[in-house]
């Protein structure tokens, strides 16, 4: 009986240990502020840190209180142990930023979301069961993440990524100071890829060779690799299909064109079998010019054409207001020869905005942008074909980036009002949002109230979610740091008006100018509307050190040593020595303490078994 009980106890302990360690999903990287436009380019990386597979079918992503479905677009839905998956907003934009992931086996889930640069609470759930979560607004109070870099988790510590663009689907690397027990990773590398040709200008139907050159910028270690390479024209159309190679031998291509001159882009991506700390330089491209020698030096009459060197530029204002006509001009360094200019407009993601047109003059051209975003960039492109023997055609191509700003971007939606004939008569806002009764000043550790006024001009019901908070920079000073503390969810009737009282309690904050943000969400749409006003926080006679801080605020100080002075405003927080942890979630704390729970459980079971044996 004793032997049986002992084995039963060991079996129970094994089951308990496996249960708590078998499946563990973590959010390991957050790209909330990509370099340039954020729209459609944000992503979340998750990681299986457990012992068993995790089926991610039916995965849901929550930001604050908003629920987003996910759809698998790459890889498989089963995440094996020690594997990564990425939740993205728009596949076409994500794969444009990270083209090497489109041909990988990494699981990519498409969703629809927009992350706050100031931080928010995000959660990954399945069947409404929370699998992992993090409030990165708290982390941003202690970690500086520049535009284009990701917030990365390494060894339970959050920090900024080393490489621009982060490392989606790969192990995270952060800046770290070597500690007393630090060791180097011999499998790390920094692979740099370049494309080399003997020259930049080639004749039509001239076979030429090009070479991929790989170097490891970190050290002299060698790694296996695969290089994917292809060729496109300047309109991003593929002229030579993608191929893979495991060597850097010379490759060849023979162009064939009908135009007098054309440009092509040689492109390649390297996939090294090492932990690359900088994926940005794994991609390379090189522009070459191909000219048609046939009839290039003489016309149909046999008259030799003059030699020339024609260069093209585009002139225009760099910043334009929305709906304002852009006037731009093609400038040639000489007008002594006849010419044709081919010109078109793209956005920064190479999507065609205005189709290709031809002109034989340099008169001003015009384009009137109409955007719904606050800001959008356009790329004006052109190629000149001079009627002469151009000795240097590299400068026959030009482009100019123009930024369009929408100063009329408002937090109202519009609908058309139709008369009896069905024709559009005028436009009227569907919903209108206003802030009223907002005080100019609010004292420390006090509660102030303002009114949010919602007007529904539509003939339909709308579900509205409201919340407000006080902040400066990335830091929220109301609701104990919880931006959605006063979240209100209600339905507004058709052709109705509602006034909602919004209460905000200011935690300890230094006196000064802050901002109040009212966040409005209609019908669980992806985009929130924001109204922002200024407020002045004044000093309070009460001792701010007696503040009843919430558990979330206490969590922010985990692994930090506070240093006080007699002056409350001089309180500083210094990191503990040899401790890189800047924020540790509750999930991380629980995981670290699992071994203690197991030992305690074993001790209780042993005491029980001894007692039970004595009774017998």
């Amino acid at each position: 009986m004793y032997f049986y009980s002992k084995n039963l106890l060991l079996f129970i302990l094994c089951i308990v240990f496996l249960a708590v360690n078998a499946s563990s999903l973590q959010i390991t990287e957050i790209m909330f502020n990509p370099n340039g436009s954020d729209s459609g380019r944000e992503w979340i990386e998750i990681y299986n840190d457990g012992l068993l597979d995790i089926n991610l079918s039916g995965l849901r992503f929550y930001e604050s209180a908003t629920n987003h479905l996910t759809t698998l677009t790459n890889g498989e839905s089963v995440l094996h142990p020690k594997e990564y998956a990425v939740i993205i907003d728009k596949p076409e934009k994500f794969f444009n930023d990270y083209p090497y992931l489109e041909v990988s086996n990494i699981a990519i889930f498409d969703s629809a979301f927009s992350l706050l640069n100031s931080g928010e609470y995000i959660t990954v759930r399945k069947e409404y069961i929370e699998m992992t979560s993090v409030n990165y607004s708290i982390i941003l109070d202690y970690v500086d993440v520049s535009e284009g870099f990701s917030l990365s988790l390494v060894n339970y510590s959050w920090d900024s990524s080393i490489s621009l663009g982060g490392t989606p689907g790969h192990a995270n690397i952060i800046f770290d100071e070597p500690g007393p027990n630090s060791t180097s990773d011999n499998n790390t590398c920094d692979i740099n890829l370049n494309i080399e040709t003997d020259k930049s200008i080639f004749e039509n139907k001239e076979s030429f060779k090009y070479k991929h050159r790989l170097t490891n910028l970190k050290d002299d270690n060698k790694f296996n690799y695969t290089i994917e390479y292809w060729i496109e024209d300047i309109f991003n159309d593929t002229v030579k299909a993608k191929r893979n190679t495991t060597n850097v031998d010379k490759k060849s291509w023979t162009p064939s064109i009908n135009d007098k001159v054309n440009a092509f882009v040689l492109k390649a991506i390297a996939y090294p079998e090492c932990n690359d700390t900088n994926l940005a330089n794994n991609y390379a491209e090189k522009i070459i010019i191909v000219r048609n020698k046939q009839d290039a030096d003489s016309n149909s009459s046999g008259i030799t054409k003059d030699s020339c060197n024609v260069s093209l530029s585009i002139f225009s204002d760099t910043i334009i207001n929305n709906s304002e006509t852009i006037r731009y001009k093609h400038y040639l360094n000489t007008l002594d020869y006849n010419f044709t200019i081919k010109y078109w407009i793209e956005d920064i993601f190479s999507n065609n905005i205005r189709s290709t047109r031809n002109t034989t003059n340099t008169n001003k051209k015009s384009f009137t942008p109409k955007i719904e975003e606050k800001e959008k960039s356009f790329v004006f492109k052109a190629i000149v074909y001079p009627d002469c023997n151009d000795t240097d055609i590299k400068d026959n191509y030009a482009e100019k980036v123009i930024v369009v700003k929408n100063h009329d971007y408002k937090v109202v939606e519009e609908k058309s009002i139709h008369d009896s004939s069905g024709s559009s008569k005028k436009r009227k806002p569907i919903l209108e949002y206003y802030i009223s009764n907002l005080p100019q000043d609010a004292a420390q550790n006090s509660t102030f109230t303002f009114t949010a006024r919602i007007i529904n001009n539509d003939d339909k019901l709308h579900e509205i979610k409201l919340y407000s908070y006080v902040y400066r920079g990335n830091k929220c000073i109301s609701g104990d740091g919880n931006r959605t503390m006063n979240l209100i969810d209600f339905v507004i009737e058709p052709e109705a008006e509602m006034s909602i009282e919004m209460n905000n309690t200011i935690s300890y904050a230094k006196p000064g100018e802050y901002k109040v943000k009212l966040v409005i969400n209609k019908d669980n749409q992806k985009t929130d509307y924001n109204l922002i006003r200024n407020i002045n926080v004044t000093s309070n006679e009460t001792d701010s050190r007696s503040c009843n801080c919430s558990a979330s605020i206490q969590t922010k100080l985990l692994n930090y040593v506070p240093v006080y002075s007699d002056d409350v405003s001089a309180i500083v927080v210094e990191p503990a020595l040899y401790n890189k942890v800047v924020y540790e979630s509750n999930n991380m704390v629980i995981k670290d303490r699992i071994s203690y729970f197991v030992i305690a459980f074993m001790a209780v079971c042993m005491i029980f078994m001894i007692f039970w044996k004595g009774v017998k």
Side-chain angles (χ1 to χ4, degrees):
M1 178 65 69
Y2 174 75
F3 177 79
Y4 170 77
S5 300
K6 180 179 179 182
N7 282 276
L8 178 62
L9 176 61
L10 291 176
F11 175 75
I12 294 174
L13 290 175
C14 290
I15 294 298
V16 171
F17 181 77
L18 288 175
V20 296
N21 286 277
S23 178
S24 178
L25 194 69
Q26 295 181 15
I27 295 174
T28 51
E29 193 168 5
I30 308 170
M31 175 56 77
F32 59 87
N33 187 17
N35 195 30
S37 172
D38 290 3
S39 177
R41 301 172 60 218
E42 299 169 331
W43 48 265
I44 305 292
E45 179 190 78
I46 53 179
Y47 176 67
N48 183 358
D49 194 30
L51 303 176
L52 299 179
D53 294 344
I54 301 177
N55 191 336
L56 299 180
S57 300
L59 198 70
R60 291 173 179 265
F61 174 61
Y62 287 72
E63 48 166 334
S64 294
T66 307
N67 176 13
H68 304 288
L69 298 175
T70 64
T71 304
L72 183 70
T73 62
N74 191 77
E76 59 179 19
S77 59
V78 176
L79 192 64
H80 304 295
K82 312 307 176 186
E83 284 188 352
Y84 295 89
V86 186
I87 303 174
I88 65 175
D89 188 9
K90 285 191 169 35
E92 63 276 12
K93 293 185 178 181
F94 178 80
F95 290 130
N96 184 69
D97 290 340
Y98 308 94
Y100 54 88
L101 290 178
E102 192 170 7
V103 293
S104 70
N105 294 323
I106 295 174
I108 308 292
F109 290 87
D110 180 24
S111 188
F113 55 88
S114 179
L115 300 176
L116 296 178
N117 290 350
S118 57
E120 58 184 307
Y121 185 80
I122 58 177
T123 309
V124 176
R125 298 182 182 179
K126 184 177 179 181
E127 299 176 352
Y128 301 99
I129 298 176
E130 181 176 308
M131 303 181 73
T132 182
S133 64
V134 65
N135 188 348
Y136 70 96
S137 61
I138 296 176
I139 303 171
L140 292 179
D141 287 343
Y142 301 100
V143 177
D144 292 327
V145 181
S146 302
E147 179 180 1
F149 292 82
S150 67
L151 186 62
S152 301
L153 181 68
V154 175
N155 296 329
Y156 306 151
S157 173
W158 289 98
D159 208 337
S160 173
S161 63
I162 286 181
S163 59
L164 185 68
T167 57
H170 295 80
N172 297 335
I173 301 295
I174 61 174
F175 290 105
D176 198 3
E177 298 178 2
N181 300 317
S182 63
T183 60
S184 61
D185 186 355
N186 293 326
N187 195 43
T188 60
C189 63
D190 182 6
I191 299 300
N192 181 68
L193 175 65
N194 287 301
I195 302 176
E196 298 177 349
T197 59
D198 295 335
K199 53 185 179 179
S200 299
I201 302 176
F202 299 91
E203 304 298 336
N204 187 33
K205 298 184 179 180
E206 173 191 355
S207 179
F208 69 90
K209 297 184 181 299
Y210 58 100
K211 182 180 177 65
H212 301 118
R213 181 174 296 278
L214 279 178
T215 54
N216 186 357
L217 302 181
K218 181 178 178 61
D219 49 44
D220 295 330
N221 291 340
K222 305 295 184 181
F223 299 95
N224 294 329
Y225 58 86
T226 298
I227 298 176
E228 180 184 46
Y229 63 100
W230 69 101
I231 302 177
E232 297 179 358
D233 61 17
I234 57 174
F235 303 105
N236 302 305
D237 294 325
T238 301
V239 297
K240 184 173 183 178
K242 292 182 178 181
R243 299 183 182 182
N244 291 328
T245 181
T246 56
N247 60 64
V248 289
D249 298 340
K250 287 186 176 181
K251 310 297 185 289
S252 63
W253 183 57
T254 303
S256 179
I257 64 173
N258 296 321
D259 298 327
K260 293 181 180 179
V261 63
N262 213 332
F264 298 93
V265 187
L266 312 181
K267 297 186 175 183
I269 302 174
Y271 302 94
E273 295 182 9
C274 56
N275 185 13
D276 201 326
T277 59
N278 181 17
L279 297 176
N281 56 7
N282 289 30
Y283 171 80
E285 63 179 40
K286 182 178 178 66
I287 297 177
I288 63 167
I289 305 296
V290 177
R291 61 183 181 182
N292 200 339
K293 191 83 172 180
Q294 182 181 5
D295 294 331
D297 299 331
S298 61
N299 58 22
S300 59
S301 302
I303 301 175
T304 301
K305 293 184 178 181
D306 295 335
S307 296
C308 64
N309 183 11
V310 178
S311 63
L312 172 66
S313 303
I314 302 175
F315 287 95
S316 175
D317 291 335
T318 303
I319 300 177
I320 300 291
N321 293 327
N322 187 36
S323 299
E324 177 183 338
T325 299
I326 301 173
R327 308 287 181 182
Y328 62 101
K329 182 179 176 65
H330 300 119
Y331 173 78
L332 296 176
N333 63 331
T334 177
L335 297 177
D336 294 339
Y337 309 94
N338 294 329
F339 60 86
T340 299
I341 297 177
K342 183 185 295 185
Y343 64 101
W344 68 102
I345 303 174
E346 299 177 357
D347 62 16
I348 59 174
F349 305 105
S350 301
N351 298 315
N352 195 279
I353 302 300
R354 170 176 279 187
S355 58
T356 303
R357 301 182 181 186
N358 293 327
T359 182
T360 56
N361 61 63
T362 56
N363 298 337
K364 285 185 177 181
K365 309 295 187 291
S366 63
F367 171 67
T368 304
K370 294 183 179 180
I371 64 173
E372 297 179 356
E373 304 92 328
K374 290 184 179 180
E375 182 176 301
K376 188 172 183 178
S377 297
F378 296 90
V379 186
F380 290 62
K381 298 184 175 183
I383 301 176
V384 61
Y385 302 93
D387 189 19
C388 58
N389 183 20
D390 200 327
T391 59
D392 184 8
I393 59 177
K394 290 186 294 184
D395 51 6
N396 288 25
Y397 171 79
E399 65 178 42
K400 182 177 181 65
V401 177
I402 297 177
V403 178
V404 178
K405 292 184 176 292
N406 188 356
H407 295 293
D408 295 328
Y409 182 83
K410 296 180 178 179
V411 292
V412 297
E413 301 174 81
E414 294 184 335
K415 68 174 182 177
S416 297
I417 304 300
H418 299 276
D419 56 22
S420 58
S421 64
S423 60
S424 179
K425 196 167 68 173
K426 62 178 181 178
R427 297 189 67 84
K428 184 179 180 181
I430 293 177
L431 294 178
E432 298 179 62
Y433 314 114
Y434 301 96
I435 288 179
S436 61
N437 304 322
L438 178 69
Q440 294 183 350
D441 302 312
Q444 298 167 332
N445 302 319
S446 67
T447 300
F448 68 91
T449 303
F450 69 89
T451 304
R453 182 172 165 231
I454 315 295
I455 302 175
N456 183 9
N457 297 312
D458 202 2
D459 55 1
K460 300 178 182 178
L461 290 167
H462 290 290
E463 181 183 355
I464 304 296
K465 292 180 180 178
L466 293 180
Y467 64 90
S468 61
Y469 60 91
V470 185
Y471 71 99
R472 183 164 64 189
N474 289 331
K475 187 173 184 179
C476 171
I477 66 164
S478 62
D480 281 345
N482 184 356
R483 288 171 165 78
T484 59
M485 178 70 77
N486 59 357
L487 177 67
I488 302 173
D489 192 345
F490 60 92
V491 173
I492 186 168
E493 300 288 337
E495 306 293 339
E497 177 178 336
M498 295 185 67
S499 294
I500 311 296
E501 297 297 321
M502 306 298 296
N503 296 317
N504 292 269
T505 301
I506 298 178
S507 307
Y508 172 75
K510 293 181 180 180
E513 291 292 332
Y514 292 82
K515 293 184 181 297
V516 178
K517 177 181 287 189
L518 174 66
V519 181
I520 310 108
N521 180 271
K522 179 180 77 71
D523 299 328
N524 293 316
Q525 291 181 350
K526 172 185 173 182
T527 304
D528 292 330
Y529 299 108
N530 299 319
L531 292 178
I532 300 176
R533 300 290 186 268
N534 294 324
I535 192 168
N536 181 51
V537 175
T538 60
S539 61
N540 196 318
E541 295 298 330
T542 59
D543 188 355
S544 300
R545 283 174 289 187
S546 63
C547 169
N548 182 19
C549 299
S550 68
S552 61
I553 299 300
Q554 294 171 3
T555 304
K556 292 196 298 183
L557 303 181
L558 187 65
N559 292 314
Y560 277 73
V561 178
V563 180
Y564 297 93
S565 70
D566 292 335
D567 181 8
V568 175
S569 64
I571 294 178
V572 296
V573 179
E574 297 180 351
L577 296 177
Y578 303 111
N579 197 336
K580 194 69 170 63
V581 176
V582 293
Y583 169 80
E584 191 172 24
S585 68
N586 291 335
N587 290 341
M588 301 300 184
V589 174
I590 293 173
K591 183 169 181 178
D592 284 343
R593 297 176 182 175
I594 282 177
S595 58
Y596 297 103
F597 296 153
V598 173
I599 293 172
F601 180 78
M602 291 177 62
V604 171
C605 290
M606 291 297 295
I607 293 172
F608 173 77
M609 292 300 298
I610 293 172
F611 176 77
W612 179 75
K613 183 180 179 182
V615 172
K616 290 291 184 179

